[in-house]
Amino acid sequence: MNERILLVEDEEALSLPLADRLRREGYWVQIAADGETGYEQALLGPFDLILLDIMLPRKSGLDVCRDLRQRNITTPILMLTARTQTDDKVLGLRIGADDYLAKPFDQSELLARIEALLRRAVMPNISPETIRQMGSVRVDLRRAEVFRDGQAVPLSAREFQLLRYFLEHPGSLLTREELLRDVWNYSSSTSTRTVDVHVGWLRQKLEDDPSTRN
């Protein structure tokens, strides 16, 4: 995975355990404890995602978000807000935030939001055919959503990248080395076990009988 996340949060009681959890999930995390520092680090980048608290010392999260967008920084921004800050949530979305999550939040929900934003960020060039239907499985490439028999299927960012790559190469015989190079950006010397594991996870989520070899 190794996506880079900038966490801008002044409460150590939240930022430190959250950063630890994100690192255990495979993300690279950098912490900024105030808005001005977070803004400067975001400009230096590059980051794949910014987690941005609204109430920050030196520079508010709203100002950070607005100024980054004015500097044409398009990194996805997920804003962290207090439950009472309804107006701030709306304003944050209007000035360029991609999503928001109210405190206190469940870490599993935050991880799901992060994965959704990262999936969308890796799709800069989407063909006009954004909906793909394969039997009972429906894939919305623009929204980075997958459904099976009408039910949403949660995929990690890497699983969605892998599925999209398969959709872009229908009927092709793809080697593990190709997948490592084009989906993971790994060298051919890297172990191919990670490909087998992710393909297995995809099959379990999308196929009626994943034990059947096609």
Side-chain angles (χ1 to χ4, degrees):
M1 189 179 292
N2 294 322
E3 285 90 349
R4 296 169 59 90
I5 294 178
L6 174 62
L7 172 58
V8 189
E9 169 61 61
D10 62 318
E11 297 181 27
E12 287 191 356
L14 174 61
S15 65
L16 295 181
L18 179 55
D20 287 341
R21 174 63 186 276
L22 292 171
R23 288 169 181 140
R24 290 198 301 272
E25 294 293 328
Y27 298 106
W28 186 96
V29 182
Q30 182 168 325
I31 300 175
D34 64 80
E36 188 63 40
T37 302
Y39 174 68
E40 293 172 355
Q41 292 179 351
L43 289 178
L44 293 173
F47 293 96
D48 298 292
L49 182 81
I50 299 172
L51 294 177
L52 180 61
D53 188 23
I54 284 185
M55 300 297 292
L56 291 167
R58 299 185 65 198
K59 189 182 185 78
S60 77
L62 292 173
D63 289 340
V64 172
C65 180
R66 181 200 62 218
D67 293 349
L68 288 175
R69 293 309 187 226
Q70 289 179 350
R71 294 287 296 271
N72 294 320
I73 302 298
T74 60
T75 305
I77 295 177
L78 195 163
M79 303 205 76
L80 306 176
T81 73
R83 291 192 182 278
T84 57
Q85 295 170 318
T86 304
D87 292 340
D88 286 342
K89 297 173 187 177
V90 175
L91 179 57
L93 294 173
R94 284 179 175 172
I95 63 178
D98 297 274
D99 199 359
Y100 67 85
L101 190 60
K103 299 177 182 178
F105 52 80
D106 185 84
Q107 288 190 356
S108 61
E109 182 180 1
L110 176 63
L111 290 171
R113 300 284 188 95
I114 289 173
E115 290 178 355
L117 288 176
L118 289 173
R119 285 199 300 267
R120 295 168 191 170
V122 298
M123 299 183 298
N125 299 309
I126 299 177
S127 67
E129 185 185 356
T130 60
I131 304 296
R132 305 288 181 89
Q133 188 76 38
M134 303 165 292
S136 62
V137 177
R138 178 175 177 269
V139 182
D140 187 330
L141 293 174
R142 184 168 299 281
R143 297 177 61 87
E145 294 176 340
V146 179
F147 299 86
R148 178 182 174 192
D149 295 323
Q151 300 295 315
V153 179
L155 297 183
S156 69
R158 190 68 70 192
E159 288 169 343
F160 190 86
Q161 287 176 276
L162 182 60
L163 175 60
R164 184 188 177 206
Y165 192 83
F166 287 147
L167 293 174
E168 291 174 343
H169 299 81
S172 300
L173 181 61
L174 302 172
T175 67
R176 293 176 175 84
E177 288 73 20
E178 286 178 283
L179 294 173
L180 282 171
R181 182 191 65 224
D182 297 338
V183 179
W184 275 264
N185 295 318
Y186 287 171
S187 67
S188 59
S189 60
T190 305
S191 170
T192 59
R193 175 62 179 165
T194 187
V195 173
D196 296 340
V197 170
H198 280 78
V199 170
W201 287 341
L202 263 184
R203 297 190 66 181
Q204 288 179 8
K205 292 180 179 182
L206 301 180
E207 296 181 8
D208 293 329
D209 185 6
S211 62
T212 302
R213 295 291 182 180
N214 296 323

